[in-house]
Amino acid sequence: MTNTNFEYIEINSNLSMWINHFSDEIQNYYPVSFSETSYGEIPDIIPPFKQIQDQLWSKYHVHYQIFNSTMILNLEQIRWALYHSNKTFSTNANISNNEGVEFLLYLSQERQIKLAFEKVGVSAPAKFSDIISLGEILFGDPIQLPKAVEMLQNIHKKTKFSAIPYIPETKWGSFVQHFDIPVNQILTTLKSYNCTNEILHANDLPIGFTQIQQHITKPELEKAIIDIYNHGLISLYLTNMKGLALSQT
């Protein structure tokens, strides 16, 4: 039986994913089988993460990764990141040999693993009683995924699963800044949709993101932002392919 708080997406016939949001004290993220004496004095996210990752992979060959869930606009963002990161392995254009790390590289739109971790990685809080908030993704064979989801439900000491808390419209400006999306590119993309709002043609006035939000409908603006984000992923993929070609010459 799978948890309905997970969201399911089929990427292709051989790849599907489940995503979830975990929010609880960090000590409750630690697996049931993780020894209390292994905690140490300072919370650490890496040992329990690696144990969960290894358990899910060894039993079901399903990949497990955690990520910063505070900069997720919608489900399409995650879907595109996984689509492109998965494609790199079929074309040998991957930067990392770890598919979970490659997913973080694309989610962050970075080529350097260190920068990807800084941008979309998860940091442990200072105390075991502090709340940790993170996104969890499982991806792999569509047949094995439900079994891996059920296993993940049983791994955590306490289960507090929920849907990813997508960025509210009032904070979309932070998303645009985080991923360096230029306002001019948003305007150009909206024009390509044949959007006729007068703000798109106000060439004499400096236009900021807040002004765009005041004049453009939420669905149109959300689509434009994700289309630009995806274009960044395509550019990253092509850059990696170019690097692969150069390395083979």
Side-chain angles (χ1 to χ4, degrees), residues 85-145:
S85 66
N86 177 255
K87 187 168 65 173
T88 65
F89 286 89
S90 62
T91 57
N92 295 320
N94 50 297
I95 294 174
S96 171
N97 291 325
N98 183 299
E99 295 200 23
V101 173
E102 193 75 9
F103 166 74
L104 291 184
L105 285 166
Y106 274 83
L107 186 65
S108 64
Q109 297 188 336
E110 296 288 349
R111 297 191 75 242
Q112 295 182 37
I113 294 173
K114 180 177 182 293
L115 294 179
F117 285 162
E118 289 175 356
K119 203 167 182 179
V120 298
V122 177
S123 298
K127 303 192 300 292
F128 284 105
S129 59
D130 288 346
I131 300 296
I132 188 169
S133 181
L134 54 87
E136 295 181 296
I137 180 170
L138 296 173
F139 59 96
D141 182 350
I143 296 176
Q144 297 297 326
L145 262 185

Side-chain angles (χ1 to χ4, degrees), residues 23-61:
S23 182
D24 200 350
E25 295 179 7
I26 187 173
Q27 59 193 355
N28 293 327
Y29 174 79
Y30 282 58
V32 173
S33 58
F34 205 77
S35 170
E36 295 281 346
T37 59
S38 300
Y39 282 10
E41 296 181 1
I42 301 174
D44 191 351
I45 197 70
I46 300 301
F49 161 72
K50 288 295 296 179
Q51 182 171 327
I52 295 170
Q53 188 180 57
D54 292 345
Q55 287 180 13
L56 291 167
W57 176 253
S58 63
K59 185 151 188 174
Y60 296 114
H61 276 206

Side-chain angles (χ1 to χ4, degrees), residues 156-175:
H156 293 303
K157 288 191 170 183
K158 293 183 180 178
T159 305
K160 289 192 177 180
F161 294 119
S162 61
I164 295 289
Y166 301 126
I167 299 176
E169 189 178 3
T170 55
K171 295 185 178 179
W172 282 4
S174 298
F175 180 92

